[in-house]
Amino acid sequence: MAQIPVTVLTGYLGAGKTTLLQRILSENHGRRFAVVVNEFGEIGIDSDLVVDAEEEVYSMNNGCVCCSVRGDLIRILSGLVKRRDLDGILLETTGLADPSPIIQTFFMDDAVRDATLLDAVVTVLDALHFPGQAASRSEALEQVVYADLLILNKADLVDEARLAAVEAQVRRLNPQADIVRSVRGDVPLETILGRNSFDLSRLLFLSPALMDAPSAGQHDADVSSVSLTLDQPVDARRFQEHLGAYLAERGGDIYRCKGIVHAAGQPQRLVFQGVHMLLETTWGVPWKDGEERLTRAVFIGRNLNADELRAGLAACAA
Amino acid sequence: MHLSADPGVPGLFRLETGAFVTACALAADGGATAFSLGDGRVLLCDVQTKTVTATMPHQGAALCLTALGPAFLSGGDDGRIVLTLASGEGHELYRRKGKWIEHLAVAREGRFAAAMGRDILAFEPGLSDDGAPTTPVTLGPLPGAAGGLTVAAGGRMLVTAHTGGLTLFDVPPSSSAGQRVEAPGGHLALAASPDGRFVAAATPDKAVRVFDLQEQEGYLLEGYPTRVECLAFDHSGRFLLTGGEQAVVLWDLMAPPEERGKAVAFGAFEHGFLRVVAPHPGLPLLAAGFDGGVVFLGDAARRTAQPLFTMPGDKVSCLAWSPDGRFLAGGSDAGAVFLLDLIALAKA
Ligand SMILES: Nc1nc2c(ncn2[C@@H]2O[C@H](COP(=O)(O)OP(=O)(O)OP(=O)(O)O)[C@@H](O)[C@H]2O)c(=O)[nH]1
Ligand SMILES: [Mg+2]
């Protein structure tokens, strides 16, 4: 059976998640969505397919201290896939949720993985309040680092200079996500849906322009990103072993990593992504003739040591 | 509409319904089989004539189904519980918009219960004097949504599993809080031994937690390559059968503690996992439904099982025996349903 795409809408309290959800539902797209919302309910949502979720997070008993899943999601998604009339599932998290258990549920649970497809993590930011939230709450940062699409909402409440400053701040935290500005979630549907962000086979490149973004320093509660590039080919086996070992040790602090590797002697690119200690690697699309074969990777996490990461990658050169 | 005889397997009758088959059940009097579907339909099939009557008790998916005497109860993601008589006539017993009815369990003397998120609804039998359905008693709230609901001890005990453990209620319930049995983490699929001594619940991290209510101890059964989706006790109450493997997994819960963690796997299947297991109500027989729509019949005493036939679909989604053990019904995620007459199969 075809997998049903799931879009996760996250963002801090009051950022405009429900406003965006309403907007998606109200557009005349002819598609049928189920909406999963948190237990406090969303009275205003105009859909007959609203499911309350309890956000039951628990850690996995598999020796991986940072692996936790959303048990309620396993239940709800396996229920929803029994109806065949859905084109997609939209999931709004609570404003204080760390999105990683949701992502890990899609990684870890075979049944969820078989029946559904995590399409994207979309994070809505309140352009006026984000700087204050980021300074005081780690959830506000976590929501940014896991995003594939960052929606800088409430753009009507701040001037261009403030908007640009917030944009630069979130760009430092997450160099790979797309950033769009919005007022009341007025983002084209095509930007939000069908992103297929977690499909490694589609990963062609990590945007080189963004790789050059300056990485974050002392600010933002020690959350930063490190972008790496290497122009020599890499020994695929050594690289996978190195990355596995690195994440096993430091995974608790690594929120997310993603990369494309130029593996020596291989026509295909080696691609990987990780959330904490969970790592997925696969052979991606072959390199095109004449294409520059570069290894690019980005790590986002707490207390990252850029030199150590760079040296680790360099040691994998073939 | 009717189920048609399969030329390849004596006693086997089939139909394509075009919707996910969420559950099946056979009436206690042996008259009808019912199949609940992901599009809200409940199909009633006359066991003798194989004629099918379609009803539409739910707007959405019919998520669960059970026999209640000669009739059937179904619950849906529309928050309704509907009683469908063998004639096809339906009675709505309960409705709560925005909630899901995910599990139903029939206790003794026509009492039954339904799981609705963190609430358990306990129903007394019959309709009130003016013909309206009786209002259920709400039990709970549980610490998390019910992952499973079942009855044990001759229908005198109601068991539910959830995040943080189990909650037990007597039937009829003496308290709405019930008795809590604590265990960390989430609990999904659930089974209880007929005598009520053992309860087993699948955890989200590829294990099964066993609660021995008599000895008041609990332990984990581990080593599965995937999350366990089905659990059942054999009629003796001693052996626990589970999925989560490319075979039927059997645990002897009466084994001495040092032997307890040793499973026996039989009925190996190369191409996928076990999704549904249904022990026969009276004999050591069992039916097992795998990925690929493959149905096995086996012998739990001799620890063997072989494939009998294949339904279209990615997996078998439900299996159920008639109370007398003569008929087996089942379905797949792609909409195939079947009814198998064991006597006709044995004669051939
Ligand atoms: N000025 C302005 N207000 C907005 C915008 N987007 C949303 N709002 C308002 O912000 C408030 C919060 O919006 P919601 O969509 O409920 O935010 P939320 O993220 O779902 O909030 P929680 O679920 O409570 O965390 C509402 O009063 C919205 O009308 C915007 O772009 N500009
Ligand atoms: Mg909201």
Side-chain angles (χ1 to χ4, degrees), chain A residues 1 39 47-52 54 56-62 69 71 74-85 108-112 114, chain B residues 18-20 22 38 60-61 63 77 98-100 102 118 144-147 163 185-186 188 204-206 220 222 225-227 229 275 314 333-335:
Chain A
M1 263 194 300
E39 67 180 302
S47 165
D48 55 341
L49 259 174
V50 180
V51 190
D52 290 344
E54 302 265 352
E56 295 172 27
V57 177
Y58 29 70
S59 53
M60 300 292 277
N61 175 32
N62 59 359
V69 296
I74 298 177
R75 249 185 60 245
I76 290 170
L77 295 176
S78 26
L80 284 175
V81 300
K82 291 175 183 168
R83 31 190 324 156
R84 298 258 200 74
D85 55 350
M108 304 270 309
D109 193 81
D110 298 332
V112 167
D114 287 349
Chain B
F20 195 115
T22 55
L63 293 173
D77 65 4
K99 292 285 184 182
W100 289 10
E102 283 180 87
R118 293 171 57 189
T163 296
L188 297 162
D205 42 6
K206 303 177 186 170
L220 282 175
E222 294 174 294
T226 191
R227 176 162 59 80
E229 291 183 6
R275 300 298 176 182
D314 287 339
D333 63 338

Side-chain angles (χ1 to χ4, degrees), chain A residues 164-200:
Chain A
V166 177
E167 196 167 314
Q169 182 186 10
V170 299
R171 169 60 67 221
R172 282 198 305 274
L173 289 166
N174 186 340
Q176 284 304 318
D178 290 336
I179 302 180
V180 296
R181 298 174 178 188
S182 86
V183 176
R184 300 196 175 273
D186 61 342
V187 179
L189 224 56
E190 316 81 77
T191 308
I192 303 166
L193 302 175
R195 298 182 65 85
N196 219 345
S197 308
F198 287 81
D199 181 359
L200 278 182

Side-chain angles (χ1 to χ4, degrees), chain B residues 243-267:
Chain B
E245 216 0 311
Q246 290 180 258
V248 182
V249 178
L250 179 141
W251 304 89
D252 179 0
L253 300 188
M254 304 283 205
E258 63 277 11
E259 302 265 300
R260 207 153 56 185
K262 287 186 194 146
V264 178
F266 62 93

